[in-house]
Amino acid sequence: MSRPRWVVSQVLSPWLTAAGLLLLFALSVGPTAGQVLGDTAGQLRGLTGAVLAQLPGIMVIGGCVTAAVGVLPRWSVPLSWSVLLGSVLLARCSARP
């Protein structure tokens, strides 16, 4: 049984959109920070790497939400918010002071 094309687009579209928005953020903030701090190329490289490091976490949350919609559609909204809240709390608890 082959998957319909819309299932693939439902999964790829949020991931590509998230990657595009992260890169747009890095490309807009990097030169500005570089002009202020004096190292435009260094700031652009650093910010691009920093925002792309967030992409796997976004993909995990998106995958959990997609799975929740597919497996338990009635409970997908509370489960999705629980995954997001859990990731925020986990990040806060594991952050170094």
Side-chain angles (χ1 to χ4, degrees):
M1 183 172 148
S2 67
R3 299 254 181 220
R5 289 185 188 192
W6 64 269
V7 173
V8 174
S9 69
Q10 291 285 330
V11 173
L12 286 180
S13 178
W15 290 353
L16 293 176
T17 303
L21 287 174
L22 287 172
L23 286 175
L24 181 67
F25 173 77
L27 293 175
S28 62
V29 174
T32 305
Q35 289 295 320
V36 172
L37 299 173
D39 182 23
T40 304
Q43 291 296 321
L44 190 58
R45 271 192 313 273
L47 280 172
T48 303
V51 298
L52 289 180
Q54 306 302 316
L55 194 58
I58 293 171
M59 288 182 176
V60 167
I61 292 173
C64 290
V65 170
T66 303
V69 169
V71 175
L72 297 168
R74 181 173 279 189
W75 289 92
S76 63
V77 173
L79 285 174
S80 301
W81 281 105
S82 298
V83 168
L84 181 64
L85 180 63
S87 67
V88 169
L89 290 176
L90 185 63
R92 292 291 295 169
C93 291
S94 65
R96 295 181 182 164

